[in-house]
Amino acid sequence: MTLLVIGAGGYLGGELLRRAPAAAPSSSELDIRDETAVFDFFTRTGPRTVVNAAYRRGDRATTCDGAIHVARAATVVGARLVHVSSDLVFDGEKGSPYVEEDDPAPVNDYGRDKADAEPGVLDACPDAVVVRTSLIYGGPEPGPQERMAADPDAAFFTDEHRCPVQVGDLAAALLEVASSAYAGLLHVAGADSVTRYELAELLSGGPVRAASQADAAEARPRDCSLSIERARGLLRTPPRGVREVLNAP
């Protein structure tokens, strides 16, 4: 096996498999919460490169512990590891785009799970790349962001800024990083910072319902925009902004 995609059944994982058809989709049978099963799978299949795009909101055993299990197994078999993290590791109070050196300060459980996974992954596999990214959209089939934007009952925050990234741009970046010698943290997100409301309008092509974070069921960061300057210097083709992707002004 050359490339193993963990989370192959997800939106990003599916795009990675589409771009790297030689990858083995059998990881869908792997429960990364089970450390013994992960080690057995890796030693049996011997992947050269692993991209871990698996997560499950509300399930720390998958999002955090499972990520560390994958990192330990990658080290044992000598595989190159790219781990996908999130902009939600930040509290959104910086007032400018976050760089890789900024300390995580998550404000909700999912952000904490992702933030705790990062040092665990790098401790277990020091040569790994931990890629923080943002909202993912724009695949061949409608993804979660498109489906939400098309829902007439959905409302979108006007006071939460993110840097959404087109799924093909992100997948290409992950595969390029995997073939590089880069190690450590890297921000790979879209070039535009927009609100959740603006993103939904761009995806739907029309007006959507507005909401405020004051209406949210859990704490959320106000602005976790990511600086992608390091990625611009590393990647042959850095991710585009959502307005460029959707040909919007």
Side-chain angles (χ1 to χ4, degrees):
M1 186 189 302
T2 301
L3 171 66
L4 172 64
V5 178
I6 307 290
Y11 191 51
L12 174 59
E15 180 65 17
L16 287 163
L17 289 182
R18 191 178 73 84
R19 289 173 173 265
S26 56
S27 66
S28 60
E29 303 169 3
L30 176 63
D31 184 353
I32 63 173
R33 297 172 297 180
D34 184 338
E35 186 168 16
T36 299
V38 173
F39 273 82
D40 289 347
F41 184 88
F42 274 56
T43 53
R44 185 175 72 253
T45 59
R48 298 283 301 277
T49 302
V50 178
V51 179
N52 182 13
Y55 72 94
R56 186 174 295 158
R57 286 183 177 269
D59 183 359
R60 183 178 176 85
T62 295
T63 304
C64 181
D65 301 339
I68 296 170
H69 297 162
V70 169
R72 290 172 178 165
T75 297
V76 168
V77 301
R80 170 70 164 156
L81 173 63
V82 179
H83 171 77
V84 182
S85 189
S86 170
D87 53 0
L88 293 180
V89 302
F90 297 115
D91 63 9
E93 299 300 319
K94 181 181 177 182
S96 61
Y98 286 93
V99 297
E100 286 81 356
E101 291 77 16
D102 286 322
D103 292 331
V107 298
N108 56 41
D109 288 343
Y110 175 70
R112 281 185 283 273
D113 291 346
K114 279 294 193 182
D116 290 346
E118 291 182 351
V121 166
L122 291 173
D123 285 346
C125 188
D127 293 333
V129 187
V130 172
V131 173
R132 293 176 181 144
T133 192
S134 189
L135 301 167
I136 305 174
Y137 70 94
E141 300 293 333
Q145 300 305 319
E146 286 88 350
R147 292 194 293 271
M148 288 176 61
D151 182 354
D153 295 324
F156 302 89
F157 299 128
T158 60
D159 50 359
E160 179 182 314
H161 286 78
R162 310 280 291 276
C163 292
V165 61
Q166 199 268 342
V167 65
D169 287 359
L170 177 57
L174 295 176
L175 294 172
E176 183 177 346
V177 168
S179 66
S180 76
Y182 185 89
L185 297 164
L186 184 67
H187 292 175
V188 180
D192 296 335
S193 177
V194 297
T195 66
R196 295 295 300 269
Y197 178 84
E198 290 170 324
L199 175 61
E201 279 201 320
L202 289 167
L203 292 175
S204 70
V208 296
R209 295 175 59 198
S212 166
Q213 285 194 351
D215 305 321
E218 65 176 359
R220 300 190 64 84
R222 291 189 301 174
D223 186 350
C224 50
S225 301
L226 298 177
S227 168
I228 59 170
E229 289 309 305
R230 186 174 297 178
R232 288 184 192 277
L234 179 68
L235 299 172
R236 291 189 297 271
T237 307
R240 299 165 290 170
V242 63
R243 292 187 176 88
E244 178 183 352
V245 172
L246 300 178
N247 296 313

